[in-house]
Amino acid sequence: MTLTPTRAVDVRVRRLTTTLYGYSFLEEFVLLYPVYALLFSDAGLSVWQISSLFALWSVTAVVLEVPSGAWADAVSRRLLLVVGPLLTGAGFALWVLVPSYAAFAAGFVLWGTGGALSSGALEALVYDEMERGGVSDRYARVLGRARAAGLVAVMAAMGLAGPVLAWGGHAAVGAASVLVCLLTSVTALRFPEHRVAGGVREGWTAALRGGLREARRDRSVRGALLLVPAVAAVWGALDEYTPLLVREAGVGDAVVPGVLLVIWGGATAGSLLAGEGERFGTGGLAVLVGGGGVALAVGALAGTVVGLLLVAVAFGAFQAATVLAEARLQHRIEATGRATLTSVAGLGTELVTLTVFAGYAVVASGHGHGAAFAVAAVPYAVLAVGLAVVRCRGAGAEV
């Protein structure tokens, strides 16, 4: 049986997208995520030591984000997607086999390195393959579904971590997490990869220079690079504090995980609906960001369970806006520097996130978590106004 060209393309795209969804799910379906802080505490670490581990993790990601993206433009992106989860799994194995501060630190370095290898490479590979098949216009929809798969995996891990921990302790949770990392690596082998590089692959430093040169040359690329961290960083940082906001609203500790599932359900819905929002352009993005900011501020200041539903709505809007901003960046990048510039956007997000962490501590320590969430909504109001001004000037294509 001979496939027509159209059907052959559909088969290749279907294999690409199903592999992406499976990879995205497995990458986040790690039972250690909800309980690794408990592992550190049970090993006798102080709060200061645990905080230093988080800082080491962030520094590793910041240092390696851009070089790894340039490397992904110089070598096989699929190879990096295979290796990344193996490094992460090795880090998790260290945690449960030799639980100590040194092992935890080494594990975070391995995890940060594995994450950096995958960051940029995944988006670049998927976009290039979709562009090759003539379906790059579906990228936002596909990316939104992939992010939704990851969020569903996070929620599933939250639900399963407790029973598995009660059954087999940290060893069982760690073994399951290592197994998932291995499955993620194996799944990456199914990604198709057709690189258009004339048979010659540049070194990573040349790829880095080429990607940065494109950002300097093209104003629309620079705007898209700035838009991603502007949308993604603040609410991404707030995610770490949602349990504290829920508790401050009067929810008992036993019910906190259930409320968190509702909030993450909002983010999942935002991912699934992101593709529909692409047709509304810059104006639609401004409405999403501004509306999300209002919902976040009102919901957080309400200090009630009903208010937390508005926080879920806000997270849904921000997740959709993040997917749209990332898709906009991919549409504007030339293929040769795609992973490099995607990683530059990731670096910007990491740096802004660190700033948000510091600002949040200042506000929350004096005025509570609801006030800190409300203050965090202000940048979204400013961004929405900026996007609306650009839209009114008819320059949406340059953002």
Side-chain angles (χ1 to χ4, degrees):
M1 178 180 178
T2 303
L3 295 176
T4 64
T6 300
R7 186 171 178 192
V9 169
D10 288 341
V11 170
R12 289 196 299 269
V13 172
R14 190 177 302 114
R15 175 179 176 177
L16 171 68
T17 55
T18 54
T19 303
L20 172 63
Y21 300 152
Y23 188 92
S24 299
F25 181 90
L26 290 170
E27 191 177 33
E28 299 295 339
F29 186 56
V30 177
L31 300 192
L32 269 172
Y33 285 178
V35 298
Y36 60 68
L38 301 179
L39 171 62
F40 301 157
S41 180
D42 291 347
L45 268 63
S46 66
V47 174
W48 182 91
Q49 287 175 311
I50 294 174
S51 297
S52 70
L53 290 175
F54 292 156
L56 177 62
W57 185 24
S58 296
V59 169
T60 301
V62 167
V63 170
L64 296 179
E65 183 72 39
V66 175
S68 67
W71 194 20
D73 280 331
V75 301
S76 167
R77 292 165 181 165
R78 179 172 56 196
L79 173 63
L80 299 188
L81 296 177
V82 171
V83 173
L86 295 179
L87 294 178
T88 301
F92 293 158
L94 273 177
W95 287 1
V96 295
L97 291 175
V98 282
S100 63
Y101 182 83
F104 297 147
F108 268 120
V109 170
L110 287 169
W111 187 1
T113 303
L117 291 181
S118 301
S119 174
L122 179 63
E123 295 88 346
L125 184 151
V126 171
Y127 190 89
D128 279 351
E129 291 301 316
M130 293 187 69
E131 189 173 48
R132 183 173 183 269
V135 292
S136 59
D137 58 318
R138 304 182 199 171
Y139 179 76
R141 184 181 302 111
V142 169
L143 181 63
R145 290 173 179 173
R147 294 293 165 79
L151 291 170
V152 169
V154 169
M155 292 187 288
M158 286 180 180
L160 287 175
V164 174
L165 183 65
W167 171 72
H170 293 301
V173 173
S177 301
V178 172
L179 176 60
V180 167
C181 289
L182 294 175
L183 292 175
T184 307
S185 180
V186 170
T187 301
L189 293 171
R190 295 191 71 252
F191 277 116
E193 184 176 26
H194 303 85
R195 300 294 297 279
V196 181
V200 178
R201 289 184 176 173
E202 301 174 311
W204 75 269
T205 54
L208 175 59
R209 289 194 300 270
L212 296 178
R213 189 183 307 117
E214 181 181 353
R216 289 194 300 268
R217 183 182 68 248
D218 192 330
R219 181 181 176 185
S220 68
V221 172
R222 291 199 305 274
L225 279 173
L226 294 173
L227 183 61
V228 172
V231 173
V234 176
W235 83 275
L238 292 180
D239 159 44
E240 302 295 334
Y241 301 101
T242 47
L244 302 175
L245 178 70
V246 173
R247 176 188 284 173
E248 189 177 74
V251 176
D253 286 358
V255 186
V256 167
V259 177
L260 291 179
L261 288 178
V262 173
I263 293 176
W264 281 110
T268 303
S271 280
L272 293 174
L273 296 173
E276 300 301 320
E278 193 168 28
R279 56 183 167 174
F280 297 111
T282 302
L285 189 58
V287 171
L288 266 179
V289 170
V294 171
L296 180 66
V298 173
L301 290 175
T304 64
V305 174
V306 174
L308 295 175
L309 294 178
L310 286 176
V311 174
V313 171
F315 273 35
F318 296 147
Q319 175 65 27
T322 299
V323 171
L324 292 174
E326 292 174 345
R328 179 173 295 209
L329 175 62
Q330 296 301 325
H331 288 318
R332 282 158 172 72
I333 300 174
E334 294 180 3
T336 52
R338 188 175 305 284
T340 300
L341 291 177
T342 303
S343 289
V344 169
L347 173 62
T349 301
E350 290 284 350
L351 293 174
V352 176
T353 297
L354 290 173
T355 303
V356 174
F357 284 154
Y360 188 97
V362 171
V363 178
S365 60
H367 304 282
H369 297 287
F373 269 69
V375 170
V378 174
Y380 287 113
V382 174
L383 178 59
V385 172
L387 289 170
V389 169
V390 169
R391 176 67 181 86
C392 291
R393 290 177 177 175
E398 295 184 0
V399 177

